[in-house]
Amino acid sequence: MAELSTKHILGIKYLKKKDIELIFETTERFKEVLNRPIKKVPSLRDVTIANLFFENSTRTRISFELAEKRLSADVVNFSAAASSVKKGETLLDTVNNILSMKVDMLVMRHPAPGAPIFLSRHIDANIINAGDGTHEHPTQALLDAFSMREQVGDLEGKKIAIFGDILHSRVAMSNIFCLNKLGAKVKVCGPPTLIPKHIQHLGVEVSHDLRNTLEWCDIANVLRIQLERQDIKYFPSIREYVLRFGINKKLLDSLNKEVVIMHPGPINRGVELSSDVADSDQSIILQQVENGLATRMAILYLLAGKRGS
Amino acid sequence: MNVVLIKKVQIISPEYNSSSSPLDVLIKNGIIEKIGQNINVDADTIFEEEGLSLSIGWTDIGVQVCDPGYEHREDLHTVSMAAAAGGFTTIACQPNTNPCIHSKSEVQYVQRNTGDAIVDILPIGAVSENCAGKDITEMYDMHKAGAIAFSDGDQPIQDSGLMMRALQYVKTINGIIINQPFNSSIAQNGQMNEGFMSTTLGMRGIPHIAEDLMVQRDIYLAEYTASRLHLSNVSTTEAVRLIRIAKQKGIKVTASVPIINLILTDSVLERFETNYKVSPPLRHQEDIDALLKGLSDGTIDFINSNHTPLDEEDKKKEFTYAKFGVIGLQTTFPLLNTYLKQFQLKEVINFLAYQPRKIFGIDIPKIVEGEIANLTLFNPKIEWTMQRENIQSKSKNTPFIGKRFKGKIKAVFNKKQSIFF
């Protein structure tokens, strides 16, 4: 059977295209499982997984936990604000303590970019990055790309636009790396203060024009304005942001095409997306959530096969 | 009686022609007794191997000695040993101790505790109390006590008014203000150079403009005050260009660059390795090229180690939480000699020994008979691998453990003492 080229999922950058394709194939199989009357399979019966969340999360944590339970893994959860770790125990000590209790795999969300890569140098357990600061959020990118494929087929040559706060977004980074590997064309759109200066070196186009970019793209992946990550003001007010970059139904209806609308959640309704867009037929936001579960099951399943390697 | 005989050594010094044949040097009780051909005496120690070179003792400006306050990272004894092992017989220490070197007492603390050391440790006094960037210190008093220059060290001066007053104030003592050009409002908690790599890693970048702006500001202030400015730890292409123009205009500015910023680019940060997290950050190859050109044409005056000891707890952690800095005293010459082959040995010695002494008014020793030996004996041809146990510093925060180098320090002589390696 085909297997992943890596024992960790640290970021999309570290995956090969064939890894991504294998994850998609496996996701399709688990999506079928999730539609059965009995949604549980015994694949990870002998595996213990710790979900370490050093940063708040609701949907990603629940999605991972459900995925683990559907695969019959034993699950432990650990949540801590990053500050408590800063005050006392180091990340390495925390993790080593948990691993001493014979945990096989770690799912970790952490506010520091590269934290899972740092960890992978010091421990043996398989690590899945569930978001590391402004670096990567690989499972989100994989579920996004999987959802895009369901809508428009093979992504080679397809036009994908990412809107909003690119500067503070690990989702944007992982999306860009993933879509590049799959041959899609990517454009980012937002206010100049929220777009990294060197982003075009990653092989994406940059636009500050919402309407033009919507006209250009097949799929619009609209990101959440990460107010909690902004220690200084990058735009003057939510009101002005909405005026320039808010996507509403009227705007979408005035385009010459029907754009697929995606959002990684949670939505700031009335900010980056108006409610009538979020709830419209063009939006596949809830399909993304469903695919997220299957994608995470696929990743856990495939990594479990790499245990000890 | 302690007698050291160095056989067939190439003397790199203005008193000797570099093309002249190797000479023997006899050092008795720390005094250069004789220099000539075929000296044959009974000696306690004889150095005889191919490639031996001898120069005046090297000087490093801007070393973090961590003592007082951070003795778990380094102390005045261990920094002295590290400096000696790196070929330095004089170092000027940064004021960022705890308490800071911001009054005569701390200047005297350093002097009192290094009197017996083989290495001369010269204090750099703080410009502002606690290096906090607010109130100016008693620089006159510190100068009288022996501070060789003034700086807030690793806390670059942000307040333009403070910088201006400091430059004005030290004019009466012909003092020098050292500043690392870094605008913290633009850098905004940046963790590494801003560019492709920082973007890929999702890391907040320190743009080159954070340095360029401060270089320009400080040059303007040096011109306006007609005072002496030393820009330490420069790292960008534009900084070199601005300093070159300032020198052409006759503004009294000098500059130095850390060795690691001449060797490595930000591409080494791909795996979030914290031992490459330094300030100024590792930048691009074009910056390295500009810095090297600046050294060749005299825009940049010398190379420094930017020695910053940090304990394991400050480095073995998430990149964002790790502190900036690497130790550098023992790797400065090996890196220079291994990687920067475009510089002749004479130029290297100029960067490491003569230039810092000239700029900061430190006595320049002579290699002539009858003088007290202040010498570095080294062999640029020997290859060796740096091991953890070679590191004399208390802290081991360097990315170069296990790296193979060309060029090794054999001995240093100073204050009638000597250490052999």
Side-chain angles (χ1 to χ4, degrees), chain A residues 13-14 86 91 110-111 113-114 117-118 121-122 134-135 173 197-198 202 231 234, chain B residues 188-189 194-196 199-204 270-273 316-321:
Chain A
K13 316 201 244 307
Y14 312 110
K86 265 194 223 167
L91 173 64
H110 196 283
I117 289 125
F118 160 74
R121 279 201 291 271
H122 299 287
T134 46
H135 178 221
M173 298 305 295
K197 184 173 159 60
H198 300 275
L202 302 186
D231 45 5
Y234 289 88
Chain B
Q188 279 294 341
N189 297 322
E194 181 189 82
F196 168 76
T199 311
T200 309
L201 299 181
M203 200 80 81
R204 188 170 283 180
E270 197 179 359
R271 302 295 288 186
F272 299 88
E273 173 53 68
K316 196 174 173 183
K317 55 170 41 169
E318 300 89 316
F319 196 91
T320 313
Y321 307 146

mmCIF file of all heavy atoms in Angstrom, chain A residues 13-14 86 91 110-111 113-114 117-118 121-122 134-135 173 197-198 202 231 234, chain B residues 188-189 194-196 199-204 270-273 316-321:
data_model
loop_
_atom_site.group_PDB
_atom_site.id
_atom_site.type_symbol
_atom_site.label_atom_id
_atom_site.label_comp_id
_atom_site.label_asym_id
_atom_site.label_seq_id
_atom_site.Cartn_x
_atom_site.Cartn_y
_atom_site.Cartn_z
ATOM 1 N N LYS A 13 4.589 22.626 3.085
ATOM 2 C CA LYS A 13 5.909 22.754 2.439
ATOM 3 C C LYS A 13 6.717 21.472 2.513
ATOM 4 O O LYS A 13 7.541 21.226 1.664
ATOM 5 C CB LYS A 13 6.829 23.745 3.113
ATOM 6 C CG LYS A 13 6.651 24.910 3.567
ATOM 7 C CD LYS A 13 7.912 25.776 3.731
ATOM 8 C CE LYS A 13 8.129 26.090 5.183
ATOM 9 N NZ LYS A 13 6.986 26.674 5.839
ATOM 10 N N TYR A 14 6.506 20.699 3.559
ATOM 11 C CA TYR A 14 7.333 19.506 3.741
ATOM 12 C C TYR A 14 6.698 18.262 3.121
ATOM 13 O O TYR A 14 7.211 17.168 3.277
ATOM 14 C CB TYR A 14 7.593 19.288 5.238
ATOM 15 C CG TYR A 14 8.052 20.549 5.946
ATOM 16 C CD1 TYR A 14 7.235 21.221 6.855
ATOM 17 C CD2 TYR A 14 9.308 21.091 5.675
ATOM 18 C CE1 TYR A 14 7.654 22.382 7.483
ATOM 19 C CE2 TYR A 14 9.740 22.256 6.296
ATOM 20 C CZ TYR A 14 8.901 22.898 7.195
ATOM 21 O OH TYR A 14 9.315 24.059 7.810
ATOM 22 N N LYS A 86 4.834 29.813 29.027
ATOM 23 C CA LYS A 86 5.910 30.801 29.093
ATOM 24 C C LYS A 86 6.353 31.007 30.538
ATOM 25 O O LYS A 86 7.505 31.192 30.821
ATOM 26 C CB LYS A 86 5.428 32.140 28.527
ATOM 27 C CG LYS A 86 5.764 32.344 27.054
ATOM 28 C CD LYS A 86 5.563 33.810 26.717
ATOM 29 C CE LYS A 86 4.854 33.950 25.388
ATOM 30 N NZ LYS A 86 4.372 35.288 25.153
ATOM 31 N N LEU A 91 7.956 23.877 26.648
ATOM 32 C CA LEU A 91 7.169 23.038 25.741
ATOM 33 C C LEU A 91 7.709 21.610 25.741
ATOM 34 O O LEU A 91 6.960 20.639 25.806
ATOM 35 C CB LEU A 91 7.220 23.633 24.326
ATOM 36 C CG LEU A 91 6.599 22.792 23.219
ATOM 37 C CD1 LEU A 91 5.107 22.612 23.445
ATOM 38 C CD2 LEU A 91 6.836 23.441 21.853
ATOM 39 N N HIS A 110 -0.080 25.672 18.401
ATOM 40 C CA HIS A 110 0.837 26.462 19.217
ATOM 41 C C HIS A 110 0.988 27.849 18.598
ATOM 42 O O HIS A 110 0.989 27.977 17.377
ATOM 43 C CB HIS A 110 2.198 25.745 19.265
ATOM 44 C CG HIS A 110 3.093 26.233 20.358
ATOM 45 N ND1 HIS A 110 3.775 27.425 20.264
ATOM 46 C CD2 HIS A 110 3.417 25.705 21.553
ATOM 47 C CE1 HIS A 110 4.483 27.600 21.376
ATOM 48 N NE2 HIS A 110 4.283 26.578 22.175
ATOM 49 N N PRO A 111 1.111 28.890 19.428
ATOM 50 C CA PRO A 111 1.203 30.237 18.848
ATOM 51 C C PRO A 111 2.538 30.570 18.189
ATOM 52 O O PRO A 111 2.623 31.558 17.448
ATOM 53 C CB PRO A 111 0.967 31.156 20.060
ATOM 54 C CG PRO A 111 1.312 30.343 21.259
ATOM 55 C CD PRO A 111 1.001 28.922 20.897
ATOM 56 N N PRO A 113 5.454 30.186 15.491
ATOM 57 C CA PRO A 113 5.776 29.545 14.210
ATOM 58 C C PRO A 113 6.943 28.569 14.392
ATOM 59 O O PRO A 113 7.922 28.892 15.056
ATOM 60 C CB PRO A 113 6.199 30.719 13.313
ATOM 61 C CG PRO A 113 5.656 31.949 13.965
ATOM 62 C CD PRO A 113 5.583 31.652 15.429
ATOM 63 N N GLY A 114 6.804 27.399 13.818
ATOM 64 C CA GLY A 114 7.905 26.429 13.874
ATOM 65 C C GLY A 114 7.921 25.566 15.120
ATOM 66 O O GLY A 114 8.769 24.681 15.236
ATOM 67 N N ILE A 117 8.065 21.932 14.472
ATOM 68 C CA ILE A 117 9.341 21.534 13.831
ATOM 69 C C ILE A 117 10.421 21.416 14.901
ATOM 70 O O ILE A 117 11.209 20.476 14.923
ATOM 71 C CB ILE A 117 9.732 22.537 12.729
ATOM 72 C CG1 ILE A 117 8.771 22.361 11.556
ATOM 73 C CG2 ILE A 117 11.153 22.344 12.235
ATOM 74 C CD1 ILE A 117 8.056 23.543 11.116
ATOM 75 N N PHE A 118 10.414 22.377 15.816
ATOM 76 C CA PHE A 118 11.319 22.319 16.968
ATOM 77 C C PHE A 118 11.113 21.016 17.732
ATOM 78 O O PHE A 118 12.055 20.290 18.046
ATOM 79 C CB PHE A 118 11.057 23.542 17.856
ATOM 80 C CG PHE A 118 11.539 23.418 19.273
ATOM 81 C CD1 PHE A 118 12.895 23.493 19.564
ATOM 82 C CD2 PHE A 118 10.642 23.223 20.310
ATOM 83 C CE1 PHE A 118 13.341 23.373 20.869
ATOM 84 C CE2 PHE A 118 11.085 23.102 21.618
ATOM 85 C CZ PHE A 118 12.438 23.177 21.900
ATOM 86 N N ARG A 121 12.446 17.700 16.344
ATOM 87 C CA ARG A 121 13.881 17.431 16.470
ATOM 88 C C ARG A 121 14.198 16.721 17.780
ATOM 89 O O ARG A 121 15.269 16.188 17.953
ATOM 90 C CB ARG A 121 14.672 18.746 16.425
ATOM 91 C CG ARG A 121 14.892 19.276 15.021
ATOM 92 C CD ARG A 121 16.066 20.242 14.998
ATOM 93 N NE ARG A 121 15.783 21.475 15.693
ATOM 94 C CZ ARG A 121 15.239 22.544 15.127
ATOM 95 N NH1 ARG A 121 14.943 22.516 13.846
ATOM 96 N NH2 ARG A 121 15.021 23.637 15.814
ATOM 97 N N HIS A 122 13.281 16.773 18.727
ATOM 98 C CA HIS A 122 13.599 16.271 20.064
ATOM 99 C C HIS A 122 12.777 15.077 20.517
ATOM 100 O O HIS A 122 13.058 14.509 21.562
ATOM 101 C CB HIS A 122 13.442 17.399 21.089
ATOM 102 C CG HIS A 122 14.363 18.558 20.827
ATOM 103 N ND1 HIS A 122 15.714 18.494 21.076
ATOM 104 C CD2 HIS A 122 14.135 19.788 20.320
ATOM 105 C CE1 HIS A 122 16.282 19.647 20.739
ATOM 106 N NE2 HIS A 122 15.347 20.439 20.273
ATOM 107 N N THR A 134 1.735 32.027 12.816
ATOM 108 C CA THR A 134 1.405 32.508 11.477
ATOM 109 C C THR A 134 2.131 31.694 10.404
ATOM 110 O O THR A 134 2.332 32.159 9.296
ATOM 111 C CB THR A 134 1.781 33.991 11.345
ATOM 112 O OG1 THR A 134 3.097 34.149 11.888
ATOM 113 C CG2 THR A 134 0.826 34.874 12.119
ATOM 114 N N HIS A 135 2.538 30.489 10.773
ATOM 115 C CA HIS A 135 3.329 29.680 9.839
ATOM 116 C C HIS A 135 2.444 28.805 8.950
ATOM 117 O O HIS A 135 2.193 29.150 7.809
ATOM 118 C CB HIS A 135 4.341 28.845 10.647
ATOM 119 C CG HIS A 135 5.185 27.942 9.815
ATOM 120 N ND1 HIS A 135 5.491 26.658 10.206
ATOM 121 C CD2 HIS A 135 5.782 28.127 8.634
ATOM 122 C CE1 HIS A 135 6.254 26.103 9.284
ATOM 123 N NE2 HIS A 135 6.445 26.967 8.314
ATOM 124 N N MET A 173 -0.964 30.778 4.193
ATOM 125 C CA MET A 173 0.346 30.219 3.828
ATOM 126 C C MET A 173 0.206 28.770 3.371
ATOM 127 O O MET A 173 0.719 28.390 2.319
ATOM 128 C CB MET A 173 1.301 30.272 5.032
ATOM 129 C CG MET A 173 1.598 31.663 5.547
ATOM 130 S SD MET A 173 2.230 32.741 4.280
ATOM 131 C CE MET A 173 3.762 31.905 3.970
ATOM 132 N N LYS A 197 5.117 41.720 2.457
ATOM 133 C CA LYS A 197 5.809 42.424 1.371
ATOM 134 C C LYS A 197 6.381 41.466 0.313
ATOM 135 O O LYS A 197 6.389 41.761 -0.862
ATOM 136 C CB LYS A 197 6.939 43.254 1.977
ATOM 137 C CG LYS A 197 7.700 44.115 0.997
ATOM 138 C CD LYS A 197 8.681 45.021 1.743
ATOM 139 C CE LYS A 197 9.805 45.531 0.872
ATOM 140 N NZ LYS A 197 9.383 46.326 -0.272
ATOM 141 N N HIS A 198 6.859 40.306 0.764
ATOM 142 C CA HIS A 198 7.564 39.414 -0.172
ATOM 143 C C HIS A 198 6.705 38.242 -0.646
ATOM 144 O O HIS A 198 7.219 37.267 -1.167
ATOM 145 C CB HIS A 198 8.848 38.904 0.482
ATOM 146 C CG HIS A 198 9.788 40.008 0.849
ATOM 147 N ND1 HIS A 198 10.689 40.549 -0.043
ATOM 148 C CD2 HIS A 198 9.931 40.717 1.994
ATOM 149 C CE1 HIS A 198 11.361 41.522 0.546
ATOM 150 N NE2 HIS A 198 10.921 41.649 1.787
ATOM 151 N N LEU A 202 6.475 33.753 -3.320
ATOM 152 C CA LEU A 202 5.928 32.407 -3.133
ATOM 153 C C LEU A 202 5.140 31.961 -4.364
ATOM 154 O O LEU A 202 4.505 30.914 -4.359
ATOM 155 C CB LEU A 202 5.005 32.363 -1.901
ATOM 156 C CG LEU A 202 5.601 32.766 -0.558
ATOM 157 C CD1 LEU A 202 4.594 32.528 0.563
ATOM 158 C CD2 LEU A 202 6.873 31.996 -0.262
ATOM 159 N N ASP A 231 -1.287 43.075 17.080
ATOM 160 C CA ASP A 231 -0.879 43.847 18.245
ATOM 161 C C ASP A 231 -0.834 45.338 17.927
ATOM 162 O O ASP A 231 -0.739 46.165 18.809
ATOM 163 C CB ASP A 231 0.457 43.349 18.795
ATOM 164 C CG ASP A 231 1.483 43.111 17.706
ATOM 165 O OD1 ASP A 231 1.192 43.431 16.536
ATOM 166 O OD2 ASP A 231 2.567 42.605 18.020
ATOM 167 N N TYR A 234 -3.632 47.564 11.761
ATOM 168 C CA TYR A 234 -3.232 47.472 10.359
ATOM 169 C C TYR A 234 -4.259 48.126 9.436
ATOM 170 O O TYR A 234 -3.999 48.360 8.279
ATOM 171 C CB TYR A 234 -3.021 46.011 9.961
ATOM 172 C CG TYR A 234 -1.790 45.413 10.590
ATOM 173 C CD1 TYR A 234 -1.840 44.813 11.839
ATOM 174 C CD2 TYR A 234 -0.551 45.475 9.944
ATOM 175 C CE1 TYR A 234 -0.703 44.278 12.424
ATOM 176 C CE2 TYR A 234 0.584 44.946 10.518
ATOM 177 C CZ TYR A 234 0.507 44.347 11.762
ATOM 178 O OH TYR A 234 1.628 43.826 12.336
ATOM 179 N N GLN B 188 9.314 45.884 14.981
ATOM 180 C CA GLN B 188 8.083 45.337 15.591
ATOM 181 C C GLN B 188 8.155 43.862 15.956
ATOM 182 O O GLN B 188 7.424 43.037 15.409
ATOM 183 C CB GLN B 188 6.917 45.520 14.609
ATOM 184 C CG GLN B 188 6.300 46.884 14.608
ATOM 185 C CD GLN B 188 5.604 47.219 15.914
ATOM 186 O OE1 GLN B 188 5.267 46.334 16.698
ATOM 187 N NE2 GLN B 188 5.427 48.493 16.174
ATOM 188 N N ASN B 189 9.029 43.523 16.886
ATOM 189 C CA ASN B 189 9.148 42.127 17.300
ATOM 190 C C ASN B 189 9.497 41.174 16.162
ATOM 191 O O ASN B 189 9.176 39.989 16.219
ATOM 192 C CB ASN B 189 7.866 41.618 17.976
ATOM 193 C CG ASN B 189 7.576 42.374 19.246
ATOM 194 O OD1 ASN B 189 8.508 42.702 19.979
ATOM 195 N ND2 ASN B 189 6.316 42.688 19.491
ATOM 196 N N GLU B 194 13.545 40.138 7.040
ATOM 197 C CA GLU B 194 12.326 40.090 6.228
ATOM 198 C C GLU B 194 12.681 39.745 4.789
ATOM 199 O O GLU B 194 13.567 40.360 4.200
ATOM 200 C CB GLU B 194 11.624 41.451 6.247
ATOM 201 C CG GLU B 194 10.338 41.453 5.441
ATOM 202 C CD GLU B 194 9.762 42.839 5.268
ATOM 203 O OE1 GLU B 194 10.225 43.570 4.361
ATOM 204 O OE2 GLU B 194 8.872 43.211 6.035
ATOM 205 N N GLY B 195 12.025 38.757 4.261
ATOM 206 C CA GLY B 195 12.288 38.363 2.882
ATOM 207 C C GLY B 195 11.525 37.097 2.568
ATOM 208 O O GLY B 195 10.561 36.744 3.263
ATOM 209 N N PHE B 196 11.989 36.413 1.547
ATOM 210 C CA PHE B 196 11.333 35.176 1.131
ATOM 211 C C PHE B 196 11.262 34.186 2.298
ATOM 212 O O PHE B 196 10.228 33.583 2.565
ATOM 213 C CB PHE B 196 12.098 34.562 -0.050
ATOM 214 C CG PHE B 196 11.689 33.163 -0.368
ATOM 215 C CD1 PHE B 196 10.498 32.915 -1.038
ATOM 216 C CD2 PHE B 196 12.468 32.087 0.013
ATOM 217 C CE1 PHE B 196 10.098 31.624 -1.325
ATOM 218 C CE2 PHE B 196 12.082 30.785 -0.266
ATOM 219 C CZ PHE B 196 10.900 30.555 -0.939
ATOM 220 N N THR B 199 8.804 35.058 5.037
ATOM 221 C CA THR B 199 7.439 34.879 4.517
ATOM 222 C C THR B 199 7.067 33.398 4.517
ATOM 223 O O THR B 199 5.990 33.013 4.970
ATOM 224 C CB THR B 199 7.333 35.453 3.091
ATOM 225 O OG1 THR B 199 7.885 36.764 3.093
ATOM 226 C CG2 THR B 199 5.905 35.519 2.623
ATOM 227 N N THR B 200 7.991 32.570 4.036
ATOM 228 C CA THR B 200 7.737 31.129 3.986
ATOM 229 C C THR B 200 7.524 30.553 5.376
ATOM 230 O O THR B 200 6.723 29.644 5.567
ATOM 231 C CB THR B 200 8.961 30.405 3.379
ATOM 232 O OG1 THR B 200 9.276 31.052 2.183
ATOM 233 C CG2 THR B 200 8.684 28.962 3.108
ATOM 234 N N LEU B 201 8.258 31.079 6.337
ATOM 235 C CA LEU B 201 8.179 30.531 7.692
ATOM 236 C C LEU B 201 7.072 31.181 8.515
ATOM 237 O O LEU B 201 6.887 30.845 9.682
ATOM 238 C CB LEU B 201 9.515 30.699 8.413
ATOM 239 C CG LEU B 201 10.720 29.996 7.782
ATOM 240 C CD1 LEU B 201 11.970 30.227 8.599
ATOM 241 C CD2 LEU B 201 10.469 28.499 7.622
ATOM 242 N N GLY B 202 6.378 32.138 7.921
ATOM 243 C CA GLY B 202 5.303 32.804 8.646
ATOM 244 C C GLY B 202 5.826 33.613 9.822
ATOM 245 O O GLY B 202 5.136 33.820 10.808
ATOM 246 N N MET B 203 7.060 34.048 9.685
ATOM 247 C CA MET B 203 7.718 34.725 10.801
ATOM 248 C C MET B 203 7.744 36.223 10.539
ATOM 249 O O MET B 203 7.969 36.652 9.419
ATOM 250 C CB MET B 203 9.154 34.195 10.858
ATOM 251 C CG MET B 203 9.832 34.391 12.152
ATOM 252 S SD MET B 203 9.331 33.155 13.321
ATOM 253 C CE MET B 203 10.380 31.813 12.811
ATOM 254 N N ARG B 204 7.531 37.001 11.586
ATOM 255 C CA ARG B 204 7.597 38.444 11.393
ATOM 256 C C ARG B 204 9.033 38.834 11.063
ATOM 257 O O ARG B 204 9.974 38.444 11.744
ATOM 258 C CB ARG B 204 7.120 39.161 12.644
ATOM 259 C CG ARG B 204 6.995 40.656 12.436
ATOM 260 C CD ARG B 204 6.301 41.329 13.577
ATOM 261 N NE ARG B 204 4.867 41.119 13.539
ATOM 262 C CZ ARG B 204 4.023 41.614 14.444
ATOM 263 N NH1 ARG B 204 4.480 42.329 15.436
ATOM 264 N NH2 ARG B 204 2.740 41.409 14.338
ATOM 265 N N GLU B 270 15.757 27.792 7.666
ATOM 266 C CA GLU B 270 14.643 27.013 7.124
ATOM 267 C C GLU B 270 13.987 26.083 8.149
ATOM 268 O O GLU B 270 12.791 25.850 8.112
ATOM 269 C CB GLU B 270 15.136 26.195 5.938
ATOM 270 C CG GLU B 270 14.011 25.704 5.078
ATOM 271 C CD GLU B 270 14.497 24.908 3.895
ATOM 272 O OE1 GLU B 270 15.723 24.754 3.734
ATOM 273 O OE2 GLU B 270 13.629 24.430 3.140
ATOM 274 N N ARG B 271 14.796 25.528 9.061
ATOM 275 C CA ARG B 271 14.246 24.595 10.056
ATOM 276 C C ARG B 271 14.126 25.242 11.437
ATOM 277 O O ARG B 271 14.166 24.563 12.450
ATOM 278 C CB ARG B 271 15.116 23.334 10.150
ATOM 279 C CG ARG B 271 15.275 22.581 8.848
ATOM 280 C CD ARG B 271 13.991 21.978 8.320
ATOM 281 N NE ARG B 271 13.528 20.821 9.093
ATOM 282 C CZ ARG B 271 12.499 20.049 8.759
ATOM 283 N NH1 ARG B 271 11.800 20.329 7.676
ATOM 284 N NH2 ARG B 271 12.148 19.037 9.508
ATOM 285 N N PHE B 272 14.021 26.544 11.465
ATOM 286 C CA PHE B 272 13.797 27.264 12.731
ATOM 287 C C PHE B 272 14.916 27.013 13.752
ATOM 288 O O PHE B 272 14.656 26.851 14.938
ATOM 289 C CB PHE B 272 12.445 26.877 13.348
ATOM 290 C CG PHE B 272 11.248 27.198 12.502
ATOM 291 C CD1 PHE B 272 10.773 26.312 11.555
ATOM 292 C CD2 PHE B 272 10.583 28.413 12.655
ATOM 293 C CE1 PHE B 272 9.665 26.605 10.769
ATOM 294 C CE2 PHE B 272 9.470 28.708 11.882
ATOM 295 C CZ PHE B 272 9.009 27.815 10.941
ATOM 296 N N GLU B 273 16.150 26.925 13.275
ATOM 297 C CA GLU B 273 17.278 26.643 14.171
ATOM 298 C C GLU B 273 17.624 27.910 14.962
ATOM 299 O O GLU B 273 18.029 28.928 14.396
ATOM 300 C CB GLU B 273 18.467 26.159 13.311
ATOM 301 C CG GLU B 273 19.769 25.983 14.025
ATOM 302 C CD GLU B 273 19.652 25.109 15.256
ATOM 303 O OE1 GLU B 273 19.401 23.891 15.107
ATOM 304 O OE2 GLU B 273 19.813 25.667 16.358
ATOM 305 N N LYS B 316 17.065 26.567 23.556
ATOM 306 C CA LYS B 316 16.407 25.300 23.223
ATOM 307 C C LYS B 316 14.910 25.462 23.435
ATOM 308 O O LYS B 316 14.328 24.938 24.395
ATOM 309 C CB LYS B 316 16.965 24.176 24.109
ATOM 310 C CG LYS B 316 16.643 22.781 23.593
ATOM 311 C CD LYS B 316 17.344 21.734 24.428
ATOM 312 C CE LYS B 316 16.908 20.334 24.036
ATOM 313 N NZ LYS B 316 17.528 19.321 24.882
ATOM 314 N N LYS B 317 14.295 26.232 22.595
ATOM 315 C CA LYS B 317 12.861 26.492 22.717
ATOM 316 C C LYS B 317 12.321 26.988 21.387
ATOM 317 O O LYS B 317 13.063 27.078 20.408
ATOM 318 C CB LYS B 317 12.610 27.486 23.843
ATOM 319 C CG LYS B 317 13.396 28.779 23.700
ATOM 320 C CD LYS B 317 13.010 29.875 24.665
ATOM 321 C CE LYS B 317 12.737 29.455 26.059
ATOM 322 N NZ LYS B 317 12.632 30.610 26.962
ATOM 323 N N GLU B 318 11.043 27.296 21.358
ATOM 324 C CA GLU B 318 10.409 27.768 20.154
ATOM 325 C C GLU B 318 11.149 29.020 19.657
ATOM 326 O O GLU B 318 11.528 29.879 20.448
ATOM 327 C CB GLU B 318 8.948 28.114 20.427
ATOM 328 C CG GLU B 318 8.103 26.962 20.934
ATOM 329 C CD GLU B 318 8.112 26.829 22.458
ATOM 330 O OE1 GLU B 318 9.196 26.942 23.062
ATOM 331 O OE2 GLU B 318 7.054 26.617 23.037
ATOM 332 N N PHE B 319 11.307 29.136 18.356
ATOM 333 C CA PHE B 319 12.117 30.216 17.762
ATOM 334 C C PHE B 319 11.696 31.590 18.277
ATOM 335 O O PHE B 319 12.531 32.422 18.624
ATOM 336 C CB PHE B 319 11.989 30.151 16.235
ATOM 337 C CG PHE B 319 13.058 30.946 15.523
ATOM 338 C CD1 PHE B 319 14.250 30.354 15.157
ATOM 339 C CD2 PHE B 319 12.858 32.285 15.221
ATOM 340 C CE1 PHE B 319 15.243 31.077 14.503
ATOM 341 C CE2 PHE B 319 13.839 33.018 14.566
ATOM 342 C CZ PHE B 319 15.027 32.412 14.205
ATOM 343 N N THR B 320 10.383 31.814 18.321
ATOM 344 C CA THR B 320 9.880 33.124 18.736
ATOM 345 C C THR B 320 10.305 33.470 20.160
ATOM 346 O O THR B 320 10.510 34.638 20.478
ATOM 347 C CB THR B 320 8.335 33.120 18.680
ATOM 348 O OG1 THR B 320 7.960 32.544 17.426
ATOM 349 C CG2 THR B 320 7.753 34.507 18.780
ATOM 350 N N TYR B 321 10.400 32.459 21.009
ATOM 351 C CA TYR B 321 10.725 32.717 22.417
ATOM 352 C C TYR B 321 12.224 32.678 22.687
ATOM 353 O O TYR B 321 12.670 33.080 23.756
ATOM 354 C CB TYR B 321 10.015 31.701 23.328
ATOM 355 C CG TYR B 321 8.519 31.599 23.114
ATOM 356 C CD1 TYR B 321 7.837 30.410 23.267
ATOM 357 C CD2 TYR B 321 7.789 32.733 22.731
ATOM 358 C CE1 TYR B 321 6.465 30.323 23.054
ATOM 359 C CE2 TYR B 321 6.419 32.647 22.509
ATOM 360 C CZ TYR B 321 5.763 31.440 22.670
ATOM 361 O OH TYR B 321 4.415 31.359 22.453
#
